[in-house]
Amino acid sequence: EYNEILSPLGFNCLSLKDLNIICDPEETGSTFKENALIKAKEIAKYTNKLILADDSGIEIDAYPNLLGIYSHRFLENEPYSIKNATLIEMLKDKIKTARYVCAIALINFNDQELFFEGICEGHISDIPKGNNGFGYDPIFIPSGLDKTMAELESEEKHKISHRGIASNKLVEYLKGIK
């Protein structure tokens, strides 16, 4: 996804796999920003390249401590179809407002730590819809739309998503150093 966003600017994104780096840092932070930085610092031990790492998830107002930085770990060994069905059931008589949050950590060539955040407000749908996404996308409806994230085409999604918003901030920074 980042290669798709950054290659038009002349950046070639390499994955850990591309660099033959095997690491799985423990996300012990209490915020998306802290977890993104933990990942970036761990990767920086293995390469002298510009480092980009992110952390993201969904926050649901009715259950403020349930997901957030633990979004991926919610019902950990269950598929997202079960996770999504469980959330819909839990929210039957509750406020359904929610948001996707993304924090990108960038460690530049001067070991400076920079952060770019994106938030996409919305609410949880009563039924899952769409196939153009993953995770909670089939049940998340962005504010102002009547489609879930999983019903949006990639280009439309990149414009409004939490990751897209954070990435646009990153791109503006990178344009300045190019």
Side-chain angles (χ1 to χ4, degrees):
E1 196 169 351
Y2 286 111
N3 208 26
E4 204 176 283
I5 294 165
L6 299 175
S7 63
L9 295 175
F11 291 93
N12 181 28
C13 294
L14 301 171
S15 68
L16 294 177
K17 186 177 179 181
D18 294 334
L19 297 170
N20 293 316
I21 295 173
I22 298 172
C23 72
D24 188 18
E26 190 175 345
E27 297 177 33
T28 57
S30 60
T31 65
F32 293 111
K33 182 177 167 181
E34 287 174 6
N35 282 335
L37 184 59
I38 287 167
K39 295 177 205 179
K41 283 182 171 182
E42 183 65 23
I43 297 164
K45 293 176 185 177
Y46 300 95
T47 182
N48 62 351
K49 299 186 182 305
L50 195 65
I51 305 296
L52 174 74
D54 79 2
D55 194 41
S56 62
I58 193 168
E59 297 175 341
I60 297 176
D61 292 332
Y63 296 100
N65 299 314
L66 182 65
L67 299 171
I69 60 170
Y70 306 107
S71 295
H72 182 69
R73 292 173 258 182
F74 174 66
L75 300 176
E76 195 159 9
N77 295 315
E78 297 292 341
Y80 276 95
S81 58
I82 299 295
K83 293 179 184 193
N84 289 337
T86 301
L87 288 173
I88 288 170
E89 183 63 31
M90 289 172 66
L91 290 168
K92 261 198 167 125
D93 298 317
K94 304 257 189 232
I95 295 172
K96 295 178 169 63
T97 53
R99 73 206 44 77
Y100 267 132
V101 179
C102 175
I104 298 173
L106 176 76
I107 299 178
N108 68 15
F109 297 114
N110 300 320
D111 290 329
Q112 181 182 20
E113 299 166 359
L114 302 164
F115 300 94
F116 308 91
E117 185 178 60
I119 297 173
C120 179
E121 295 286 345
H123 68 276
I124 302 301
S125 172
D126 291 328
I127 56 171
K129 294 182 198 170
N131 299 310
N132 297 334
F134 59 92
Y136 302 104
D137 287 358
I139 64 167
F140 183 81
I141 300 174
S143 293
L145 297 181
D146 59 358
K147 297 179 185 178
T148 67
M149 280 289 207
E151 293 179 289
L152 302 177
E153 296 299 324
S154 292
E155 189 175 304
E156 185 179 11
K157 184 176 175 179
H158 289 323
K159 287 180 184 175
I160 64 162
S161 76
H162 55 307
R163 192 169 283 110
I165 292 167
S167 295
N168 286 337
K169 293 175 183 178
L170 169 68
V171 164
E172 288 307 309
Y173 168 76
L174 293 174
K175 283 180 181 175
I177 66 168
K178 244 340 218 172

